[in-house]
Amino acid sequence: MALALSLPLSSPAVAQQGVFTPIKEAIGSLWDIVRSPFRGDVVSPPTPVSVVRGMGEGSFFWDGLKDAGYETKEITTGIGIIPDVKMSFQLVRELSDADRDDLERKIEIDESRRGGLTAVIQRQILRTLLSASNLEDLRITKLDITLLPLPAAEFVMEPKESPMSEEHDAILRAVQGHATELRGLKKRDPNAKPSAQALD
Amino acid sequence: MTGLALAQQKPAPPSHPGASTAVPLLPTANITVRPELFIVGSSTMKGYVDVTAAALQRDYDVPAPKVSFKGSKTGIAEFCAGIGPDYPDIAVSSRGMHKSEFDRCNENGILDIIEIKIGLSAYYVATKKGNPVFNVTPRMFYYALAEQLPKQGEFDDNPNQTWRQTDKSAPDLPIRVILPEQASGTRNTFDGLFMQAGCRHIKEIDLIYAADDRVPKCITLRADGVVTEVAEPYGTKMVELLQQSAPGTIAVMTNEVYIAFRDVLELLPVNGVLPSDAAIERFDYDMATPDFFYFKRAHMRNNAGQGVVRGIREFMAELTHEELMSHGGAFTKLGLVALSPAAQEAERSKVRTLKRFVR
């Protein structure tokens, strides 16, 4: 689709015709959406390096994702006639009420200052994350943002009380075992400090 | 309990034209089960509630509302607990209702809530007139006041004694901060706007997943004499302490307190911005929060005059009246930064149409 839409732009004569102006504007908007997360001028599809560079502090959207408790997990790119760039974020921090208020305020401020489709989509993604952070039973554990060929956001929701994997279960049991052992030691001698062995 | 005594509306005084006309199609009968309004929420908004209640009692024959100010969170929780004479009619909050709170309301049958934003309240950092003025940031507050700070991946007692230790550009003066006591609504806002904002995205803090474990690391204050807490109502006492204070002593207060004592106080810029109405309105000054009133539609009287209580719509009309809400109105004299005229009109429209609030 990106290729097909880019054809009218390749001919200046065609682009000048009034009938194509809305198409040109639409393409402009689409490309604007795609490249807006990156700072600086983008003339070619972004590379993983440019994506990471563009995620520095100072961008409302990337900062907003961080404020919403998400960190980058991986960036997937594919090179071709229609390149693809996909970024995965995972939830690393549960939000407090103050975190939510702060992000909500930032979104509200952005709404009063920044118009356009890109900004609307970015705010919508952040609002979705914010709403999900309030759910009692579910949480968005993974967020995939596709930048190319077409912008999209995918949310993966999981129950908050999901069953543990074998590995996590083993860790939890080991921690619980140590805690029981420490409580036993304290009962026998309240002043006793746990031995290094008990903490192994 | 059935308060069937029909309270007649007083004729509107000439100084306050149209208070009654702002409430279209009010029921004429009054078959209610509680005589007075029940208002809960943030103590920082007590002044606005008092002014509105006074206007209501001036224009209508209604008893003084029953009020309980235990903070925004508790207030909204009580508001959302149920419908009926035992539950509040109005909640006042120095922040917007969270989605979880809205859901709780819905679960308890409170389906129609009307949200009115009255303006913005700001929180100021001030010192005694004549004391050095320097820029402060939330990060500086965190480094200055937190009981423990991260040190090489662990948390250790806060070693900072001077403002310069919290930021190189700050003066080499001892850290002394006067704050409202913990139970105060202002303190709760301070914890969020200053302390939690100050520790946000510090690596060691961000590594703590659970908010319940992370927040105490940010808001637990040191107990070595650096912080002085003042009980509510804290304004006079706080300013007295500031007058006796050494250079480097600062206090955090609402704009209402600052306005009352502005002659003897000097404001400090926060994040490089000195508070002013224009800066707050433009969102340039970060330490400001919108103030909201929430109303329960189910407690209002129906067309036959039946309902839990009389006066909710009348209260809403008074609240959004120009005399209170506009630039130069009664609320701004208490320190509230008024909304733009268009935004004020949008709030009045909510009152006229009883527009349902959704989250």
Side-chain angles (χ1 to χ4, degrees):
Chain A
M1 184 184 166
L3 183 65
L5 286 173
S6 70
L7 285 175
L9 276 183
S10 61
S11 161
V14 173
Q16 279 168 8
Q17 289 173 22
V19 70
F20 287 103
T21 306
I23 299 172
K24 187 187 166 190
E25 280 172 3
I27 294 163
S29 295
L30 184 66
W31 185 240
D32 186 37
I33 293 167
V34 170
R35 72 176 195 167
S36 67
F38 314 101
R39 290 189 297 187
D41 290 322
V42 178
V43 287
S44 55
T47 65
V49 176
S50 69
V51 168
V52 173
R53 227 178 255 157
M55 288 173 64
E57 281 181 23
S59 151
F60 164 76
F61 185 57
W62 300 129
D63 287 353
L65 285 178
K66 206 173 170 189
D67 288 344
Y70 290 80
E71 297 281 354
T72 319
K73 192 183 173 200
E74 58 190 26
I75 300 168
T76 317
T77 61
I79 296 166
I81 294 172
I82 304 172
D84 66 83
V85 178
K86 186 169 123 179
M87 308 180 67
S88 297
F89 296 84
Q90 71 175 15
L91 184 66
V92 293
R93 204 170 50 258
E94 188 185 44
L95 297 192
S96 68
D97 286 344
D99 292 334
R100 268 188 281 271
D101 292 340
D102 178 67
L103 183 56
E104 211 157 276
R105 184 169 182 270
K106 283 176 180 162
I107 294 171
E108 203 179 313
I109 293 170
D110 187 68
E111 201 160 28
S112 70
R113 290 181 180 167
R114 213 162 51 104
L117 192 56
T118 311
V120 170
I121 291 171
Q122 290 178 348
R123 285 194 293 268
Q124 195 51 49
I125 292 172
L126 292 178
R127 281 207 171 101
T128 306
L129 297 175
L130 204 51
S131 302
S133 77
N134 261 319
L135 297 175
E136 275 184 9
D137 307 326
L138 292 166
R139 64 182 163 206
I140 295 175
T141 50
K142 196 178 167 202
L143 165 71
D144 286 337
I145 296 181
T146 305
L147 299 169
L148 289 171
L150 286 173
E154 233 172 75
F155 302 89
V156 179
M157 297 192 87
E158 281 178 15
K160 276 187 179 169
E161 302 288 329
S162 56
M164 274 187 287
S165 67
E166 191 183 341
E167 188 188 356
H168 287 124
D169 184 57
I171 293 168
L172 181 68
R173 279 172 196 284
V175 170
Q176 283 172 339
H178 278 304
T180 313
E181 203 175 324
L182 282 171
R183 272 199 298 274
L185 278 174
K186 286 231 165 172
K187 263 186 192 169
R188 280 202 293 275
D189 179 3
N191 297 321
K193 288 185 177 173
S195 66
Q197 204 181 359
L199 292 171
D200 277 346
Chain B
M1 183 172 66
T2 308
L4 288 172
L6 181 59
Q8 294 297 332
Q9 184 190 324
K10 290 178 188 172
S15 63
H16 183 27
S20 57
T21 52
V23 194
L25 301 170
L26 279 176
T28 48
N30 184 35
I31 307 159
T32 53
V33 287
R34 179 162 29 77
E36 75 285 334
L37 290 168
F38 182 12
I39 304 171
V40 294
S42 168
S43 60
T44 59
M45 291 176 66
K46 183 180 179 299
Y48 312 131
V49 172
D50 289 346
V51 166
T52 314
L56 184 74
Q57 285 187 281
R58 182 191 60 196
D59 295 333
Y60 300 90
D61 267 334
V62 288
K66 177 182 158 190
V67 292
S68 166
F69 297 111
K70 295 180 191 163
S72 300
K73 192 175 182 176
T74 310
I76 291 177
E78 287 173 355
F79 178 82
C80 290
I83 287 174
D86 297 334
Y87 299 100
D89 314 304
I90 301 168
V92 294
S93 172
S94 54
R95 57 162 175 82
M97 187 185 279
H98 295 144
K99 175 84 168 65
S100 56
E101 293 167 333
F102 179 75
D103 291 345
R104 181 60 49 84
C105 256
N106 282 188
E107 281 164 20
N108 290 327
I110 306 150
L111 304 175
D112 286 336
I113 300 167
I114 297 130
E115 180 195 70
I116 303 291
K117 191 201 274 190
I118 59 164
L120 292 157
S121 275
Y123 296 83
Y124 294 163
V125 183
T127 188
K128 178 174 78 173
K129 215 161 219 165
N131 271 358
V133 169
F134 53 97
N135 180 53
V136 289
T137 62
R139 187 56 57 94
M140 282 169 70
F141 270 94
Y142 171 67
Y143 284 146
L145 304 184
E147 184 185 39
Q148 293 195 318
L149 294 177
K151 189 182 172 188
Q152 293 164 347
E154 300 286 329
F155 283 88
D156 209 351
D157 288 346
N158 188 341
N160 295 330
Q161 294 300 325
T162 69
W163 286 109
R164 182 158 299 164
Q165 287 171 309
T166 67
D167 188 290
K168 281 176 190 161
S169 65
D172 200 14
L173 293 169
I175 299 166
R176 293 286 180 273
V177 180
I178 306 169
L179 295 173
E181 65 177 342
Q182 238 173 349
S184 150
T186 309
R187 174 63 175 278
N188 186 39
T189 310
F190 167 81
D191 286 347
L193 284 180
F194 288 82
M195 297 302 288
Q196 284 203 60
C199 77
R200 197 168 288 134
H201 303 319
I202 286 178
K203 194 179 144 200
E204 289 84 350
I205 295 283
D206 271 5
L207 286 174
I208 305 170
Y209 177 85
D212 287 347
D213 295 335
R214 196 175 62 247
V215 172
K217 293 269 180 215
C218 299
I219 67 168
T220 306
L221 302 187
R222 57 202 292 184
D224 55 0
V226 161
V227 181
T228 306
E229 293 183 335
V230 188
E232 288 266 21
Y234 62 85
T236 310
K237 179 76 181 155
M238 182 179 268
V239 175
E240 271 173 25
L241 287 172
L242 266 182
Q243 292 313 302
Q244 301 153 14
S245 68
T249 309
I250 60 176
V252 179
M253 61 190 73
T254 57
N255 39 4
E256 188 179 353
V257 172
Y258 170 71
I259 284 170
F261 299 99
R262 66 198 317 167
D263 295 344
V264 293
L265 299 174
E266 194 106 44
L267 288 174
L268 274 68
V270 181
N271 288 333
V273 180
L274 262 176
S276 67
D277 282 6
I280 294 164
E281 220 172 335
R282 284 196 309 266
F283 299 109
D284 289 340
Y285 183 72
D286 289 324
M287 302 305 152
T289 55
D291 289 330
F292 295 95
F293 277 67
Y294 292 95
F295 298 88
K296 216 173 264 178
R297 177 77 181 86
H299 280 200
M300 293 178 190
R301 288 177 301 162
N302 60 18
N303 289 338
Q306 294 164 328
V308 171
V309 68
R310 174 174 183 261
I312 298 179
R313 289 175 72 174
E314 293 85 343
F315 189 98
M316 289 165 73
E318 297 286 1
L319 182 71
T320 52
H321 195 278
E322 278 186 11
E323 195 182 70
L324 270 60
M325 202 192 202
S326 63
H327 291 266
F331 290 161
T332 59
K333 290 186 180 108
L334 292 173
L336 191 83
V337 176
L339 301 171
S340 66
Q344 285 177 40
E345 195 41 47
E347 299 306 313
R348 286 188 196 106
S349 163
K350 285 186 202 169
V351 174
R352 283 192 297 271
T353 58
L354 297 180
K355 188 182 173 192
R356 189 182 173 196
F357 161 67
V358 282
R359 246 296 174 236

